[in-house]
Amino acid sequence: MSTFRALHRALMRAEARDLSTVVLLLVTPVILLVLLTAVLGLDDGSGSTNTLAAGTITMTVSFSALCSGVTHILAWRMNGVLGLMRTFPISNGALLTAQALTGLVLAAAQVGLLLIIVDLPTKGLDITSRSSAAIAPIVLGYFAFFMLGVLVANLTRSIATSAALAILVFALLLYGGAVIYPIDQLPSAWHTLAPFSPFYQFHESVSVSLSGVLDWSGLARSLAALAALAAVLFVAGRTALRWDTRSA
Amino acid sequence: MARCAAGHVPADNTKQPVGAHKGSVVNSLRTPALLMEGVSLRVKNRLLLSDFSLRVDKGTFHGLIGSNGSGKTSVMELAVGFRKPTTGRIEILGSAPTPRRPALLRRIGIAAQNPGFLPRSSVREHLLSIAEIFGSTVRDVDILLEALMLEDCVDTRVEEISVSERQRLAVASAVVHRPEILFLDEPTANLDHEARRNLVSLLRSSNIIGTTTLYTTRRLDEIETLCDEVTILDKPDTFAQPRRYFAAERAMPLPVFGGWR
């Protein structure tokens, strides 16, 4: 068994045994989407549920990934796991990727459950074979936000500071990425800046994939931008990883 | 611990080159597993080590003894590349330990003073995973669990085991892949007599199969039992000044642990 696979398996086991987190990750987005669908009455088959689902998926996956990046590094630093991992014959990048992949498995379960639960009662969700195009942006989006979380955890030393910074970064990207308001209603400078937010590209590509009318060139553009952002964040996260186990 | 008396220490050892003790002619022909030359370490304006030199030859069991704060852990951290020296040169198994090199780490075993374990794993799962992560055979896992008296807690989560069990598991994790060089930072600090004797016996066995070991301790009897060579770290008023270096003969033969071959 390769070092990467063995580490991924050990991390997956740790993740799967953290039942409270698993339940929270799986249940929260479902409750959120079911409530929104019911309150907004989006069950007319007009595709509104798809739009709502795309927004919910973007929000929950990115938030889970960001939190995962922050909490894992901080927890590892505090309980000495980072000190152990430092001795492993594996590069910084491979170590972070192994944990990101572990979280991605949970995120996939999160999205799958979300789509199934929402589709069953409302029948408002229009899932076709083309919807599977959403898999690529979900993978890249998770990876990008996980690495962003790693960066946040390495910029700070205490849990409180990390949590505050993570929420601040998330809020800035959310607003900056024109996810809250339609981009047309925002100032013109926003049009230039928004594409640099991983949120914007993530939301765009998931929305396009689930919209029913798939614009392949638009999806390819968003995916390329998301991949570039993920690559930059990966290099930054890998470089910023501090191995010291002292924390405030 | 008469063996540590000044008789084995060079009279003027303040500028003694590394390895300049009895047997240095033989040693100079051997390849060092660890070489530290003129190493200084300054952290936030505090000098933790100054002009420190150390040579550990392949296959030897080298003790590092000193009081609290004398710099034993700093030497260990520098040797494995956890810290970068302010000045000086470090070589481990022929390579510089920094920047971090996965290929080099595969050949090293490290048991830290405050060890960490794979979260939410049982003792056996942890050890199996470590063996797999290092690409090593898992056949030694059960032998080690028995040798270190961890059989009773093999299915217990690592978060729930006692301090003594944690320390023994940390040593098992460091040796399970049969490293070429082993770094042990006060591995017996929290062990009772029997556990300590078993651990010492296992370490002796690992040394017999050729593992070079750098071992920090505050216990002179362990130095006597285990070590081929010893470096004493003193801490004068301001900073560590390790100079005294001597060879010690093993005093007490220990039974070699049978399964560890």
Side-chain angles (χ1 to χ4, degrees):
Chain A
M1 185 182 291
S2 75
T3 298
F4 183 85
R5 268 188 65 196
L7 179 61
H8 174 59
R9 204 167 76 162
L11 294 173
M12 195 68 231
R13 181 175 57 221
E15 209 76 19
R17 286 180 181 170
D18 187 4
L19 279 180
S20 55
T21 306
V22 171
V23 170
L24 197 71
L25 278 175
L26 294 181
V27 170
T28 311
V30 169
I31 292 173
L32 184 71
L33 191 51
V34 168
L35 278 177
L36 281 173
T37 310
V39 169
L40 299 174
L42 301 174
D43 57 352
D44 56 359
S46 64
S48 311
T49 311
N50 279 43
T51 309
L52 195 60
T56 313
I57 288 170
T58 311
M59 291 271 283
T60 51
V61 168
S62 51
F63 194 66
S64 305
L66 185 72
C67 289
S68 176
V70 174
T71 54
H72 277 98
I73 298 295
L74 286 175
W76 288 349
R77 184 162 287 134
M78 280 193 301
N79 59 22
V81 175
L82 206 57
L84 173 73
M85 288 178 170
R86 190 181 203 179
T87 68
F88 289 171
I90 191 165
S91 67
N92 297 14
L95 172 77
L96 294 175
T97 306
Q99 180 56 51
L101 275 183
T102 303
L104 196 55
V105 173
L106 270 179
Q110 196 179 38
V111 172
L113 189 68
L114 193 142
L115 292 177
I116 291 165
I117 298 282
V118 170
D119 191 40
L120 285 180
T122 66
K123 295 292 177 195
L125 200 62
D126 181 24
I127 300 177
T128 64
S129 58
R130 289 176 170 189
S131 305
S132 58
I135 292 171
I138 287 170
V139 170
L140 287 172
Y142 187 93
F143 198 73
F145 277 91
F146 177 85
M147 290 301 165
L148 195 60
V150 171
L151 268 178
V152 168
N154 281 292
L155 287 173
T156 52
R157 283 196 172 264
S158 74
I159 293 178
T161 322
S162 296
L165 188 60
I167 290 168
L168 182 70
V169 167
F170 191 76
L172 283 175
L173 290 176
L174 195 64
Y175 284 96
V179 178
I180 300 289
Y181 294 108
I183 195 161
D184 315 338
Q185 294 171 25
L186 291 166
S188 59
W190 225 288
H191 297 212
T192 317
L193 289 174
F196 291 100
S197 164
F199 243 126
Y200 177 86
Q201 302 297 351
F202 190 14
H203 186 246
E204 277 292 300
S205 43
V206 174
S207 299
V208 167
S209 305
L210 291 180
S211 66
V213 189
L214 195 56
D215 168 16
W216 287 107
S217 63
L219 179 64
R221 265 198 310 274
S222 289
L223 279 180
L226 194 56
L229 277 168
V232 168
L233 288 167
F234 171 70
V235 172
R238 187 188 63 180
T239 311
L241 181 63
R242 282 187 290 110
W243 286 103
D244 65 282
T245 49
R246 288 165 286 273
S247 60
Chain B
M1 182 65 189
R3 199 163 277 99
C4 288
H8 282 86
V9 181
D12 177 15
N13 47 26
T14 50
K15 292 290 175 195
Q16 200 72 37
V18 171
H21 52 83
K22 72 178 184 181
S24 62
V25 177
V26 177
N27 281 342
S28 66
L29 299 174
R30 289 198 221 146
T31 321
L34 171 67
L35 190 67
M36 299 173 82
E37 284 182 337
V39 172
S40 299
L41 178 66
R42 185 181 286 276
V43 179
K44 290 179 185 168
N45 288 329
R46 238 184 102 213
L47 195 60
L48 300 180
L49 277 178
S50 172
D51 196 21
F52 177 81
S53 295
L54 175 71
R55 177 190 170 114
V56 179
D57 288 308
K58 280 188 178 166
T60 57
F61 204 113
H62 196 107
L64 209 55
I65 192 164
S67 56
N68 273 349
S70 59
K72 301 187 295 293
T73 301
S74 294
V75 170
M76 202 74 103
E77 288 180 342
L78 284 162
V80 296
F82 287 0
R83 283 173 186 259
K84 222 175 162 181
T86 311
T87 59
R89 185 171 79 99
I90 301 173
E91 231 175 60
I92 176 167
L93 300 172
S95 309
T98 52
R100 196 169 167 272
R101 292 161 203 261
L104 181 62
L105 287 168
R106 197 178 289 280
R107 302 164 66 192
I108 300 174
I110 303 161
Q113 235 179 70
N114 300 307
F117 304 101
L118 292 168
R120 290 180 278 278
S121 298
S122 72
V123 166
R124 184 195 292 277
E125 286 170 342
H126 168 81
L127 210 49
L128 280 170
S129 293
I130 297 290
E132 287 169 352
I133 285 167
F134 277 87
S136 165
T137 168
V138 295
R139 71 190 153 89
D140 288 336
V141 167
D142 287 328
I143 297 169
L144 281 170
L145 289 171
E146 187 195 339
L148 293 168
M149 300 194 310
L150 289 164
E151 311 107 301
D152 294 340
C153 62
V154 285
D155 296 321
T156 311
R157 291 269 180 98
V158 290
E159 292 87 358
E160 293 160 11
I161 58 178
S162 69
V163 174
S164 160
E165 287 164 342
R166 285 173 68 85
Q167 206 150 21
R168 281 175 277 151
L169 183 58
V171 174
S173 306
V175 299
V176 71
H177 63 290
R178 301 195 176 209
E180 288 173 52
I181 182 163
L182 181 61
F183 293 88
L184 301 168
D185 198 359
E186 300 204 35
T188 57
N190 296 302
L191 302 187
D192 61 28
H193 180 74
E194 195 187 351
R196 199 154 73 86
R197 189 172 167 78
N198 276 21
L199 177 58
V200 167
S201 174
L202 178 87
L203 294 176
R204 179 76 182 276
S205 305
S206 75
N207 183 224
I208 285 170
I209 63 168
T211 305
T212 309
T213 307
L214 185 64
Y215 184 86
T216 75
T217 185
R218 278 175 282 168
R219 292 175 185 271
L220 296 175
D221 58 327
E222 286 170 13
I223 291 286
E224 251 186 339
T225 306
L226 283 167
C227 299
D228 301 307
E229 294 171 342
V230 182
T231 295
I232 300 175
L233 287 172
D234 280 339
K235 193 183 179 193
D237 296 342
T238 48
F239 55 82
Q241 198 154 32
R243 283 288 177 259
R244 279 176 276 162
Y245 190 83
F246 60 94
E249 291 167 20
R250 282 195 178 124
M252 176 169 57
L254 268 174
V256 174
F257 191 79
W260 188 252
R261 291 282 182 188

